Amino acid sequence: MVVVKSVTCPICGSLCDDIELTIENNEVVKVKNGCALCESKFLGYKGEHRIKTPLIRKDGKLMPVSLDEAIHKAAEILANANYPILYGWSSTSCEAQRIGVELAEEIGGVIDNTAVVCHGPSILSVQEVGIPTCTLGQIRHRADLIIYWGCDPWSAHPRHLERYTAFTEGRFEKSDWKGYIQKVKAAAGKKKIESAVRRGVVKRPKAQPMLQHELVNAPPPTLMKEGRKLIVVDARKSMTAEMADYFIQVEPNKDYEVMQAIRALIRDQELDVDKVGGVPVEYLEEVADAMVNCNFGVIFFGMGLTQTAGKFRNIEVAISLIRDLNKRTKFVIMPMRGHFNVTGANVVFTWQSGYPYGVDFSLGYPRYNPGETTCMDILLRGESDATLVIAADPGATFPRRAVEHMAKTPLIVIDPHMNATAMLGDVVIPSAFVGIESEGTAYRMDHVPLPLKKVVDPPKGLLSDEEILRRILEEVRAIKAKKMREAEAA
Amino acid sequence: MTELLIKNGFVFDPINGINGEKMDIAVKNGKIVKSVNERKAKVIDATGLTVMPGGVDIHTHIAGAEVNTGRLMRPEDHVKDVVRKTALTRSGVGYSVPSTFVTGYRYSKMGYTMIMNPSMPPLEAKHTHEELNDTPMLDKATYPLLGDWWFVLEYLRKGDLTECARYVAWMIATTKGYAIKIVNPGGLESWGFGRNVRTIDDQVPYFGITPRDIMCGLAKVNKMLNLPHTIHVHTNNLGLPGNYLTTLDTMRALESVATGDKPVAHITHLQFSSFAGNDWGTMRSGAEEITKYINAHNHLTFDMGQVIFTDTTTMTADGPFEFTLYELSGHKWVNSDVETETSGGIIPFHYKRNNAVNATQWSIALELALLVKDPWKMFLTTDHPNGGPFFAYPKIIAWLISKRARMATLKKCHKKAQKLSLLPSIKREFTLYDIAIVTRAGQAKALGLKDKGHLGVGADADIAIYDINPEKIDIAKKYKAVRRAFGSAAYTIKDGEIVVKDGEIVKHVDGRTIWLDVKTAEQVKVDEEMKRRFKEYWTVEYDNYPVFDHYVKVSCPLTIKADV
């Protein structure tokens, strides 16, 4: 039995690196410090969906083959393709991503990562207006106003609050964990009383849940609180909103208006309307007031902002709000990146090619034009003639028409699991789990690089993504050199 | 290993006092040797050509988190300068924030073989090293940002220099860095709450320490650790009118640490710290006062931070300064503070001839370079990409060697800047020997790189050959030919191998990463207490913090024995 400390968890963009794993007989048997997501991955990665051997589609069926055969076949497809797409990359290591870019360049293809369907709009906004941001520790030490907008860390980044924001102890700001416990206790007490009322112990009319129209008519609660304040803005009352000091429920797709209204308010402009995006102006005034009066504020935003109406314009206005606020106080903003190394993919693509995603090498140099050189658009236009998918599952998440084109053309899948995309694949190469069975590097949502550990050996015969890609690249070069020789001979 | 003989070139090797003599340079196993077997060796006929040590750049932002965010943020910068893949080289993009491969190729094409990446947030050191691994053709090193690190602030406040030195040694080795970088000391910590410091005697909020304490403390630490380079200082109030007074204060403060004639500090991109005047309207050059001081003292070196009239990207750890630029320009703005350590900012910027301030900045850098009598104190940089992209170095060389060249540019500048400029009164023109000092020999010497920057026996065989015949042409008159020659080396030789010929890459090499393994008598104790403190200060575990050996592709540690 071995205990491995300081393991980085390969799940979400929080990249908690304090996980303790107990290993017995080359298997993880105990997880300490991790959240539910973390535990389920470390304890469940060996499940029934694991692909055990390389597969190639023969007569419509995926048949087991040797690794060499699968790699040769994959290389052949890529070397012969005219406009291939290499997609995925967000759940693998930077080392694998580096080889990915080299491979894309070698075959004149397009390399794109899953940011295109999550925080791609955020990147477009950064290219428009920049981004005032910081690492997560700055927030832990200094932030006295924390705003989550269009995201639900309690469910998607479960330890975010506890490690980096409201419930963590910083040098200048104290943890609000106690306040939260009190709140939970109060809520439990309230429930007990209500249940007593229901059971007829106390005769009183039943308390109705507050409806939207009542909320509007009720006087706005004030945000009177010492120390750290937690505000949640969302279209629904999420788990995170439950524990917030202040919650604003925005009508779906109205974030842009609300954000602009706050921008006006912090510039001391009067609003002529009573409500914006379904929210009474008094609520927004309260938030604007908290923003201007904090010492260090932060907005975290998620898919609720990037993928709703307005898309990158939402982020642009959010960042513009932060730019304005910095003239009054210190304020930063940060996207809640999802996959554990989606940030790394953007980082690696950028240092090698200058561009963060949707990089097209078909002209021999990197080109970037989201909407034209991005994976989804190419698939929908039916232009690609081969696809390599690694560490992602577009087969399950892309629109049908895009998946249809992907399935029609040769499809190579590198993944530990038999996911929807792998089922459509023509060549399927199983890989070791990075961060469990192979090592590497990943970038946290705030661009802090962290090492991923190898804690157990992979199943026999399985290579890491990095190794598989390196072998494909070598094979592609060999095939191209052979072709060249043949052409010269002819 | 191949042997190489470079025959009959005009050799400029200032460290060995060789000034344009016709001589042969022999190379074996990647080093300069006395002689080689002429029949076996590959011979380069350098008749009529200028031979210099490979170029060394003491300050150029080419890798790391900040640079990469600059790349990400500027697709409009990339599209105007694209680089195709060839059989030998990778593709990429160029201009002000080039991709890593292109950075390596372009430096190599100019005859450079060693660069120093000056601002690495320790927490993100792995990122910097990953990018340096992908920067080919060059040897490189990088400076961790230590001036606002909480450990430093706390130990200096306590007055515990020994403990401070131990931690600095630990940090340099842990992040595989090369020198102590200080940026706007105290200002970056203040910027954590949106504030700044304005003089070197302002208090840093919550820490009870002043910029003066930080700089002098770290200069002393630098001495105790016997580091090859001095502290590398970006002054307070950088980029603001009237800041030459702060710079003078800084230089005077560091006098107290100096002993003998040895430099104790390098003031980087001095141009940005040499503004006189009370506001932007009255801004003028403070170069005269600054150079007067530097000429009278020997405890400092500096680099120019020349401004080039073009569109570029400013990036610095000086977060508050970038905020000022944002307020001035309203341009897209990136701020990136790093917990417990430092901050950073990025803004695109277009330096224009017809802008009085920009044109004055252009003039200040040249005034500094020309008014400092001893070229060993002054180095050529643009603070790439802050003053302009590094591939503009040949332009600066032309301005330095030719009064005619700089007057031609000055004539096109804003009238007010023309009137204020000291350049018309300066006659000095650099010789090729001076150029060899300010672009390689002096920089290598200041960095304490014993095997770089010269062509003596035993030095690394990093050599640049340029198509300039100093006997045939008057460089001051034919400055355009000289500019072309420095932009595209006839040969660049890296570790004894020809990597560039006629301005084209002919061989891809990786280059080494040089870092300091500083050994203190008593090392930092890594116990549970240290790990707990670590957990309190940072959001990562102690075990995951270091730059492990595999993060450096070709590792070249220099072991330094410290006095503590």
Side-chain angles (χ1 to χ4, degrees):
Chain A
M1 200 176 78
V2 199
V3 177
V4 191
K5 286 187 176 180
S6 310
V7 176
T8 308
C9 167
I11 302 251
C12 77
S14 292
L15 225 57
C16 307
D17 70 332
D18 60 343
I19 313 297
E20 275 184 44
L21 299 178
T22 309
I23 315 289
E24 230 176 66
N25 300 330
N26 198 38
E27 218 165 293
V28 182
V29 293
K30 201 176 142 199
V31 182
K32 207 177 140 192
N33 293 344
C35 66
L37 298 178
C38 169
E39 283 193 16
S40 71
K41 175 130 184 183
F42 277 116
L43 298 175
Y45 69 95
K46 270 195 164 167
E48 50 182 315
H49 299 296
R50 201 71 197 266
I51 315 170
K52 292 181 183 70
T53 155
L55 306 164
I56 288 184
R57 193 170 294 278
K58 290 176 182 164
D59 303 324
K61 257 193 179 161
L62 282 171
M63 305 298 282
V65 292
S66 72
L67 183 64
D68 288 344
E69 195 182 338
I71 284 184
H72 181 76
K73 179 78 185 162
E76 212 173 58
I77 291 171
L78 293 174
N80 291 324
N82 202 21
Y83 196 46
I85 300 175
L86 313 181
Y87 176 79
W89 308 105
S90 300
S91 295
T92 188
S93 67
C94 293
E95 288 76 4
Q97 291 157 356
R98 282 183 61 211
I99 300 171
V101 180
E102 200 171 349
L103 179 62
E105 188 190 82
E106 185 65 46
I107 58 178
V110 172
I111 189 162
D112 200 2
N113 80 323
T114 59
V116 74
V117 290
C118 62
H119 274 286
S122 313
I123 292 170
L124 292 180
S125 315
V126 173
Q127 289 168 342
E128 289 274 313
V129 286
I131 185 167
T133 186
C134 64
T135 62
L136 289 163
Q138 281 293 89
I139 293 155
R140 176 209 275 186
H141 288 303
R142 300 174 202 264
D144 58 348
L145 177 64
I146 292 146
I147 302 175
Y148 286 102
W149 196 310
C151 55
D152 182 14
W154 194 253
S155 311
H157 300 80
R159 294 181 72 209
H160 198 265
L161 284 139
E162 146 204 348
R163 268 175 69 82
Y164 309 121
T165 68
F167 302 152
T168 157
E169 197 85 2
R171 186 179 188 122
F172 308 107
E173 283 296 327
K174 299 296 159 220
S175 168
D176 198 32
W177 188 245
K178 275 188 198 146
Y180 169 63
I181 302 273
Q182 273 172 2
K183 216 165 164 183
V184 170
K185 276 188 186 158
K190 201 175 151 206
K191 259 189 194 161
K192 264 188 193 161
I193 294 169
E194 278 173 9
S195 114
V197 170
R198 267 201 308 280
R199 281 185 273 118
V201 180
V202 187
K203 291 252 178 330
R204 261 217 303 212
K206 199 174 158 192
Q208 290 282 336
M210 215 181 242
L211 295 172
Q212 184 71 28
H213 70 272
E214 280 176 298
L215 181 78
V216 171
N217 295 328
T222 49
L223 189 47
M224 299 273 278
K225 193 190 164 206
E226 289 291 309
R228 277 188 160 140
K229 298 176 189 69
L230 177 63
I231 299 179
V232 171
V233 186
D234 211 333
R236 67 185 72 80
K237 192 156 189 180
S238 61
M239 288 294 281
T240 315
E242 292 283 351
M243 64 186 83
D245 299 307
Y246 210 73
F247 170 57
I248 289 184
Q249 191 161 12
V250 184
E251 277 177 23
N253 294 324
K254 291 282 199 262
D255 300 274
Y256 184 87
E257 288 88 330
V258 173
M259 202 81 84
Q260 285 288 31
I262 297 179
R263 269 187 92 187
L265 289 172
I266 64 154
R267 291 172 178 217
D268 297 325
Q269 287 167 356
E270 293 279 328
L271 298 184
D272 295 338
V273 291
D274 300 330
K275 275 195 300 183
V276 180
V279 186
V281 169
E282 291 79 9
Y283 280 70
L284 300 181
E285 280 171 346
E286 197 67 25
V287 171
D289 214 42
M291 282 175 165
V292 172
N293 289 318
C294 73
N295 291 323
F296 187 117
V298 55
I299 293 183
F300 291 99
F301 63 95
M303 228 89 326
L305 216 51
T306 66
Q307 296 295 339
T308 55
K311 289 209 165 181
F312 85 97
R313 292 294 174 203
N314 291 343
I315 316 305
E316 197 186 305
V317 68
I319 296 174
S320 300
L321 169 66
I322 304 302
R323 282 158 62 97
D324 295 349
L325 277 166
N326 269 286
K327 294 179 179 169
R328 307 283 293 265
T329 180
K330 178 91 182 179
F331 230 102
V332 295
I333 183 165
M334 196 186 295
M336 296 286 279
R337 306 304 299 266
H339 293 287
F340 72 89
N341 201 21
V342 58
T343 312
N346 297 143
V347 166
V348 173
F349 291 8
T350 304
W351 91 54
Q352 294 217 344
S353 76
Y355 304 115
Y357 65 98
V359 192
D360 181 336
F361 287 98
S362 61
L363 297 180
Y365 57 83
R367 223 161 53 84
Y368 163 77
N369 189 14
E372 182 200 345
T373 62
T374 30
C375 173
M376 183 88 76
D377 305 277
I378 296 168
L379 288 174
L380 288 175
R381 291 195 305 267
E383 284 176 352
S384 59
D385 57 355
T387 318
L388 180 144
V389 173
I390 178 166
D393 190 10
T397 53
F398 273 20
R400 206 195 67 202
R401 219 147 49 82
V403 178
E404 269 173 10
H405 182 73
M406 193 164 65
K408 228 172 15 188
T409 51
L411 174 62
I412 304 154
V413 180
I414 303 173
D415 206 281
H417 280 150
M418 185 44 91
N419 57 22
T421 316
M423 287 178 194
L424 298 170
D426 297 295
V427 181
V428 179
I429 305 175
S431 63
F433 259 113
V434 63
I436 304 177
E437 296 166 343
S438 69
E439 56 180 20
T441 309
Y443 282 67
R444 203 163 71 180
M445 60 169 70
D446 58 350
H447 291 218
V448 171
L450 284 164
L452 302 167
K453 282 201 172 91
K454 174 183 172 179
V455 289
V456 295
D457 292 324
K460 223 175 154 204
L462 295 201
L463 301 178
S464 65
D465 292 328
E466 185 188 350
E467 199 52 39
I468 294 168
L469 287 163
R470 184 170 291 134
R471 289 186 56 181
I472 292 178
L473 178 61
E474 277 166 15
E475 195 70 23
V476 164
R477 285 192 172 138
I479 292 170
K480 280 176 81 176
K482 197 176 152 205
K483 261 195 199 166
M484 198 106 88
R485 278 198 304 274
E486 282 169 6
E488 270 167 23
Chain B
M1 206 78 185
T2 45
E3 296 181 8
L4 208 61
L5 185 65
I6 301 160
K7 284 197 75 155
N8 219 16
F10 298 99
V11 175
F12 291 87
D13 180 9
I15 287 180
N16 296 307
I18 296 165
N19 184 2
E21 285 167 39
K22 262 192 205 170
M23 57 191 285
D24 299 349
I25 301 284
V27 171
K28 193 178 175 181
N29 294 339
K31 295 275 179 188
I32 311 269
V33 291
K34 254 197 185 131
S35 61
V36 287
N37 186 336
E38 205 166 322
R39 260 171 289 166
K40 270 197 202 159
K42 182 178 167 56
V43 176
I44 295 176
D45 181 11
T47 310
L49 305 179
T50 290
V51 179
M52 287 185 183
V56 179
D57 196 339
I58 199 166
H59 191 105
T60 173
H61 299 257
I62 58 148
E66 208 169 271
V67 178
N68 209 38
T69 308
R71 283 185 196 111
L72 178 134
M73 154 199 209
R74 297 219 62 195
E76 77 281 11
D77 185 74
H78 307 327
V79 288
K80 63 189 175 206
D81 188 3
V82 293
V83 178
R84 270 170 202 281
K85 169 183 158 38
T86 70
L88 277 176
T89 58
R90 298 285 302 270
S91 69
V93 292
Y95 224 73
S96 74
V97 265
S99 56
T100 52
F101 304 111
V102 173
T103 303
Y105 301 145
R106 289 204 168 155
Y107 259 114
S108 194
K109 286 178 182 183
M110 294 197 309
Y112 273 72
T113 51
M114 169 99 214
I115 57 89
M116 312 302 282
N117 184 65
S119 83
M120 169 169 75
L123 180 62
E124 296 167 342
K126 291 185 196 74
H127 184 172
T128 307
H129 283 287
E130 284 186 299
E131 285 196 19
L132 289 178
N133 289 341
D134 271 350
T135 309
M137 319 303 288
L138 306 166
D139 287 344
K140 46 247 160 182
T142 175
Y143 314 146
L145 289 152
L146 301 176
D148 288 72
W149 179 30
W150 286 359
F151 279 52
V152 164
L153 301 184
E154 285 165 5
Y155 285 118
L156 288 183
R157 190 195 169 177
K158 264 197 249 166
D160 194 345
L161 276 180
T162 314
E163 201 61 15
C164 184
R166 280 188 198 129
Y167 276 97
V168 168
W170 169 83
M171 186 57 114
I172 290 177
T174 298
T175 58
K176 299 208 175 3
Y178 189 82
I180 299 174
K181 175 79 185 290
I182 305 172
V183 173
N184 185 3
L188 306 192
E189 166 50 38
S190 313
W191 181 240
F193 282 117
R195 281 171 252 167
N196 199 357
V197 289
R198 286 295 169 219
T199 75
I200 68 165
D201 293 311
D202 279 9
Q203 291 278 328
V204 181
Y206 305 107
F207 283 87
I209 194 170
T210 63
R212 179 194 297 273
D213 302 336
I214 299 172
M215 287 185 287
C216 293
L218 283 174
K220 285 178 200 154
V221 161
N222 200 87
K223 269 183 157 181
M224 291 159 82
L225 294 177
N226 294 324
L227 302 185
H229 187 34
T230 57
I231 54 167
H232 198 95
V233 183
H234 160 135
T235 61
N236 300 107
N237 279 339
L238 181 129
L240 299 178
N243 65 8
Y244 82 105
L245 291 170
T246 315
T247 309
L248 284 172
D249 283 346
T250 304
M251 299 195 289
R252 283 192 201 109
L254 289 162
E255 260 176 58
S256 66
V257 190
T259 43
D261 276 350
K262 258 189 108 187
V264 292
H266 177 85
I267 310 285
T268 193
H269 39 71
L270 187 57
Q271 173 269 127
F272 291 103
S273 304
S274 307
F275 300 176
N278 299 319
D279 51 39
W280 292 112
T282 57
M283 181 267 200
R284 58 181 176 78
S285 166
E288 212 168 354
E289 293 85 343
I290 297 265
T291 49
K292 207 171 131 197
Y293 181 88
I294 293 175
N295 282 330
H297 296 83
N298 286 327
H299 64 291
L300 299 163
T301 58
F302 74 92
D303 62 90
M304 294 166 80
Q306 177 66 52
V307 154
I308 306 294
F309 297 118
T310 187
D311 185 17
T312 191
T313 313
T314 67
M315 54 181 69
T316 161
D318 196 346
F321 167 62
E322 292 289 347
F323 178 70
T324 309
L325 271 189
Y326 155 63
E327 282 191 308
L328 279 173
S329 69
H331 216 317
K332 53 184 174 186
W333 166 51
V334 166
N335 179 73
S336 55
D337 298 346
V338 178
E339 64 208 55
T340 316
E341 294 168 357
T342 178
S343 79
I346 311 167
I347 298 243
F349 202 89
H350 197 149
Y351 292 103
K352 300 184 184 85
R353 279 194 201 91
N354 57 8
N355 175 304
V357 170
N358 298 166
T360 303
Q361 283 183 277
W362 170 82
S363 178
I364 291 174
L366 289 173
E367 291 163 18
L368 289 169
L370 294 160
L371 290 175
V372 163
K373 291 191 185 117
D374 180 2
W376 293 93
K377 290 180 181 173
M378 191 290 285
F379 314 123
L380 186 154
T381 67
T382 57
D383 183 18
H384 164 84
N386 285 299
F390 65 82
F391 58 78
Y393 286 177
K395 274 190 191 172
I396 307 173
I397 291 175
W399 288 324
L400 290 175
I401 59 170
S402 163
K403 179 159 186 182
R404 194 189 282 190
R406 48 187 190 256
M407 292 314 285
T409 307
L410 184 66
K411 250 192 348 220
K412 290 185 235 159
C413 284
H414 192 278
K415 284 268 157 14
K416 192 169 142 197
Q418 281 192 41
K419 221 172 81 188
L420 288 172
S421 174
L422 306 176
L423 291 178
S425 66
I426 303 172
K427 286 208 184 71
R428 184 170 172 202
E429 286 176 337
F430 274 43
T431 60
L432 285 176
Y433 189 72
D434 294 333
I435 292 296
I437 296 171
V438 303
T439 57
R440 46 264 286 162
Q443 316 214 18
K445 191 179 160 210
L447 289 164
L449 290 164
K450 296 211 170 62
D451 299 337
K452 305 276 178 199
H454 71 105
L455 299 173
V457 171
D460 288 346
D462 295 349
I463 306 164
I465 305 177
Y466 300 106
D467 185 6
I468 302 166
N469 187 335
E471 272 182 0
K472 282 231 175 99
I473 64 163
D474 175 354
I475 57 167
K477 280 193 188 128
K478 297 280 183 199
Y479 64 87
K480 283 186 184 162
V482 174
R483 193 173 71 199
R484 269 195 300 278
F486 275 106
S488 161
Y491 290 91
T492 305
I493 293 155
K494 178 87 197 63
D495 292 317
E497 292 187 273
I498 300 172
V499 292
V500 169
K501 190 165 183 284
D502 300 327
E504 292 302 326
I505 305 286
V506 292
K507 188 175 168 66
H508 182 110
V509 292
D510 279 330
R512 284 163 291 195
T513 301
I514 299 174
W515 57 280
L516 302 183
D517 190 4
V518 192
K519 302 275 190 213
T520 45
E522 198 184 311
Q523 303 221 340
V524 166
K525 244 191 272 152
V526 183
D527 50 11
E528 286 308 307
E529 165 62 20
M530 162 79 171
K531 288 192 180 182
R532 191 195 52 75
R533 185 163 167 216
F534 206 90
K535 245 186 147 136
E536 252 174 48
Y537 282 25
W538 283 278
T539 50
V540 302
E541 297 291 302
Y542 174 84
D543 299 339
N544 292 327
Y545 190 82
V547 175
F548 305 111
D549 289 341
H550 69 264
Y551 279 103
V552 181
K553 202 172 188 178
V554 189
S555 180
C556 181
L558 302 179
T559 306
I560 305 288
K561 208 174 160 301
D563 286 341
V564 286

